[in-house]
Amino acid sequence: MGTAELTDKIESLSADDYNMVIMLVNRLTEKSDMDGLQKLSEDQLVEQMTESIAKSKQGKTKSARDVSRNMRDKYAV
């Protein structure tokens, strides 16, 4: 999957899911400098997000909406 295709998929997410993806990318970007986490190239990021999308489609992960709802319920955010 190329960058353009991944961008299209991200842009087609619901508002909640899109905001969750953007928040996670921003947090990972900020933390990569501070915590010694590996910085990913654009190709590596596309590969990891492609794998994540595939796992999600196979039902191996929870949707961002479900995770967000559970966090709000659990922590009253």
Side-chain angles (χ1 to χ4, degrees):
M1 176 182 305
T3 303
E5 187 178 355
L6 181 60
T7 300
D8 288 341
K9 286 187 182 229
I10 290 172
E11 289 175 350
S12 69
L13 294 171
S14 70
D16 289 340
D17 290 346
Y18 178 85
N19 289 334
M20 181 71 74
V21 168
I22 297 303
M23 179 196 66
L24 290 171
V25 169
N26 287 339
R27 281 188 174 176
L28 289 172
T29 301
E30 291 170 6
K31 288 187 175 190
S32 66
D33 291 333
M34 293 182 274
D35 296 337
L37 297 175
Q38 177 186 4
K39 279 193 170 188
L40 300 177
S41 70
E42 185 175 334
D43 290 337
Q44 290 170 318
L45 182 58
V46 167
E47 180 181 338
Q48 286 196 6
M49 293 192 78
T50 301
E51 290 173 9
S52 179
I53 289 168
K55 286 179 183 179
S56 179
K57 286 182 178 178
Q58 295 170 0
K60 294 181 179 179
T61 61
K62 295 181 181 179
S63 73
R65 181 174 290 119
D66 289 343
V67 171
S68 179
R69 185 181 328 110
N70 289 340
M71 294 296 281
R72 281 193 304 271
D73 292 346
K74 186 174 181 178
Y75 297 107
V77 175

